[in-house]
Structure formats: structure tokens, C-alpha cells
Amino acid sequence: MVITKPGNRPGGPSAGGNVDWVRTDQIFTRLERVFARLDREPERPAHLQVPQMSRHRVVLFGATLVFYLSIVYAVLTTSWIVRLDWQLMFFRPYEQWPQLHAFLDYLVVLGQRGPTSMMVMAWLGWRCWRQHTLRPLITLGVALLALNVTVGSVKLGLGRLGPHYATQIGSAEMFGGGDIFPSGHTANAVVTWGILAYLASTVVTRRVLSLVSAVVALSVGATTVYLGTHWVSDVLLGWAAGVLVLLALPWFEPFIARAEAFILEQRVAWSLRRQGGRGAVPVSVAPLSAQAKVFAQRAAGAALPAAEEPAPVPAGAAAGHVAAARTAAPHAAARPHVIRSERTPVTPAGSRRPAHTDRDRAGRNPSARPVTGG
């Protein structure tokens, strides 16, 4: 935005003369300021590692998948697990310990999709702000989408009825139009809270968050059995379904990296289209877009040429760069820094700079033109 205003410019060539001065100011929207925060640091922190599908993880995924299929087969064949479901249903834990009912009604909310997703999304949004990357929020979106597809399809396909709607004692209550097998509360608790451990940046934090998410998921699953809204087999299958989604996330890392690069490229194009019409200098986002492409290729496992590999930055220099970037304005252009060797040397005899004969004793140049930009 360009503002032209007549008046006495401070420090002008004359005391009473009127001059026209021009001040250029760029007004940023809230979205532009958020992305400008990401532009300050072109590289992600060096300690952030993208999880890989290791052999250990593949073995765990296979074992969990076998357990998942075993539970489904045991319920379909009305085996011992269905008898256990009915025994606990007749036991009615909510009648045995009624004093816990009020507390567990609130605890089960930790497994509901809406409230937990909003809480975790707020935390991951802050992580995106601090780590200058969109990966945490994109990973959460991919995990929830995979959970909805896998759990929702099995729920609708098997159509099992819940304990409160059971029609025949000892029956598995399959294909009756229900939607409780597997338990959505339990699977959502595993994925939503487990994603925090998956995205942890240190080993200690990952272990602590893994323990916390496991306790929350176990508590939510046991609470649904206490309230009588799910069979025991529903909870077991819900735990397995959530663990499968978390274990499979490294397979989606190349897609997550490409999605992040695509979003940043679209943001660059949108910013250029929006700012180009008003003649303002667009925000510099090319380094961040290039880094997003590099991380996308790394996640895909492709080898990068030597010219595309980002140069290592010393720890001290990186810390100083981050500190300076945080204190700088989002749209402020960096001024050239003049080192000591480039300054005017001063000797005992005085400065080597030639004298300006066209200036008066007060240091002003009457013939100079007014300086704009004040």
C-alpha cells in the first residue's frame, strides 16, 4: 500500500517548505503472517527424524494383523470369546460399582472423535508453528482418514449389535444392522493419543507419550465395557485396529511429504497472484518450497544429487539464525551488514574519506533532492 501525504518532512532540506513524501507499507493478512513465520527458517530442525518402516515395525504390524483377524474369526464362529462377552454383559459392572459411573462418563470422552481431535490438533498446530513444518497436522489428518476408512468399513460390513440391543442370548449378534464392532472409541483413543508419541522429537518424550497414550486407550476401552456399550471383543478389536494404523504410518510418509510440498507450492502461487495485483514485493518462500521437495524425496527413499543436498549448518550458527529470525518482522527485508574491513578506516591523522566541498558547515546539502521513504 502506498500513501502520499503533503507536509513538512522531518529533517527536510528547509524548515518551512512543503514536500511530498511517500511511505510504502505492506499489509499482511493473518494467513500470510502464519506462513511468513514458516518462511523465516528454510530448514527443519536437524533432530527431527521421519520414522521408517523398519523390520521390527513390520513384524509388529504382521503380529497385530494376525491378532485382528483371529478376533474377527472367533466372533464369526461364536467361539469362547462370545461366551465371555455374554458373561460380562450379565455381570453388569455399572451395577456392581455404581460410584464410578459419574467419573467414567467423563473419562470416556477421551475416546470421542470430535473433542480429542480438536485438543490434539491444537497441540500439533503449535508444533507446526515452532518447528516450521506442516507435517504434524498432515500426519494427523492421514491417520484419522485411515482410521475412518478401516474401522468404518468393518463396522458397516459386519453390522454387530451392542449389548443393550442384543436379541438372542449366546449369539454373536452379527449382521444385524449395528455398528459397534470394532469399538470406535477405543480405536480413536489409540490413534489420536498415539500420534503424539509417533511425532515426538526425542526418545524420552516418545517413551513417555507412548505410556500415557497406552494408559488412556486401555482406560477408554475398559470404560466402554463398564458402561455396557461394547462387548469385550469389540474393545480388543478396537485396540488392534488403532495399533495397525499407527504401525502403518511410515508407509504414508512419502505421501505426507509430497502433500506438504504441494500445499507450500500452492501457497506460493496464491501469494504471488494476490500480491502481484497491488505491486507489492511477494514474500520470499522459494527456500521453504525447495526444502519441502528435498524432504519429500528423502521420505520416498530417493538419493539426492550432491548439488541438491542442503549444506550442513553449524549448531552455533543455526541457533543464532533461528534467534534472529524469531525477533525479526515477518515482512522486513534484511539490510546488508557492513563488516569492519569495509568501513572507512580512521588513522591518527584523521579519516581517509575525501572532504565534501559541496556541503555547508552544518552538514547539509542545499542542492540535494528530498529523500523519500520516511
Side-chain angles (χ1 to χ4, degrees):
M1 180 175 63
V2 179
I3 301 176
T4 304
K5 180 180 179 181
N8 295 332
R9 184 181 185 276
S14 61
N18 293 336
V19 296
D20 292 339
W21 55 277
V22 179
R23 180 169 63 89
T24 302
D25 190 13
Q26 190 173 357
I27 300 177
F28 284 82
T29 63
R30 182 174 299 179
L31 181 62
E32 289 174 335
R33 291 183 182 275
V34 171
F35 278 109
R37 169 73 180 183
L38 300 177
D39 295 337
R40 297 179 189 175
E41 184 65 32
E43 294 185 3
R44 298 174 180 172
H47 65 278
L48 296 180
Q49 300 293 334
V50 176
Q52 303 293 330
M53 183 56 76
S54 60
R55 181 178 302 178
H56 177 70
R57 187 181 289 267
V58 171
V59 172
L60 288 178
F61 182 85
T64 308
L65 182 60
V66 171
F67 177 78
Y68 184 95
L69 297 177
S70 300
I71 296 296
V72 174
Y73 177 78
V75 173
L76 289 176
T77 56
T78 317
S79 63
W80 61 271
I81 198 170
V82 176
R83 294 192 295 271
L84 178 62
D85 290 338
W86 280 98
Q87 289 175 2
L88 285 178
M89 185 264 189
F90 287 129
F91 182 70
R92 292 181 175 85
Y94 55 88
E95 293 182 357
Q96 302 295 329
W97 302 286
Q99 64 276 10
L100 299 177
H101 201 289
F103 170 73
L104 294 181
D105 273 338
Y106 290 102
L107 180 64
V108 79
V109 177
L110 295 179
Q112 291 184 0
R113 189 72 47 84
T116 57
S117 299
M118 295 303 296
M119 289 187 290
V120 174
M121 190 179 300
W123 170 259
L124 295 183
W126 181 81
R127 288 276 305 274
C128 291
W129 178 274
R130 292 297 302 272
Q131 296 179 352
H132 316 289
T133 175
L134 301 177
R135 177 175 170 262
L137 287 178
I138 298 177
T139 304
L140 175 63
V142 170
L144 292 180
L145 179 61
L147 180 67
N148 289 336
V149 172
T150 55
V151 174
S153 59
V154 176
K155 277 176 173 288
L156 298 178
L158 298 180
R160 191 181 191 188
L161 296 175
H164 294 313
Y165 301 96
T167 58
Q168 184 178 355
I169 298 177
S171 171
E173 301 294 338
M174 303 293 288
F175 309 108
D179 57 351
I180 66 162
F181 185 69
S183 171
H185 276 69
T186 305
N188 181 71
V190 173
V191 173
T192 307
W193 301 109
I195 200 71
L196 300 179
Y198 178 82
L199 295 171
S201 56
T202 62
V203 177
V204 176
T205 306
R206 184 177 297 109
R207 290 176 179 175
V208 172
L209 291 178
S210 298
L211 179 61
V212 171
S213 60
V215 171
V216 172
L218 291 172
S219 302
V220 170
T223 300
T224 59
V225 176
Y226 168 88
L227 297 175
T229 57
H230 281 286
W231 307 100
V232 175
S233 54
D234 299 342
V235 174
L236 294 178
L237 199 66
W239 283 332
V243 172
L244 285 176
V245 172
L246 290 178
L247 291 176
L249 278 180
W251 279 325
F252 295 94
E253 285 295 341
F255 169 78
I256 294 172
R258 288 194 296 268
E260 181 182 10
F262 174 78
I263 293 174
L264 294 177
E265 289 176 358
Q266 294 301 314
R267 177 255 164 162
V268 172
W270 173 81
S271 180
L272 292 177
R273 287 195 303 267
R274 187 177 184 277
Q275 298 180 5
R278 61 189 184 193
V281 179
V283 181
S284 176
V285 292
L288 184 62
S289 180
Q291 285 294 330
K293 292 181 179 180
V294 170
F295 280 101
Q297 297 180 15
R298 281 181 175 176
L304 295 177
E308 297 183 6
E309 281 287 348
V313 180
H321 177 67
V322 172
R326 290 180 179 175
T327 57
H331 57 279
R335 296 182 178 180
H337 178 70
V338 181
I339 61 177
R340 183 174 295 275
S341 61
E342 296 177 355
R343 299 172 184 170
T344 303
V346 179
T347 62
S351 175
R352 297 179 185 175
R353 178 181 297 175
H356 293 275
T357 58
D358 56 342
R359 295 185 178 181
D360 56 7
R361 293 183 179 180
R364 295 177 300 181
N365 186 3
S367 61
R369 298 175 59 186
V371 181
T372 62

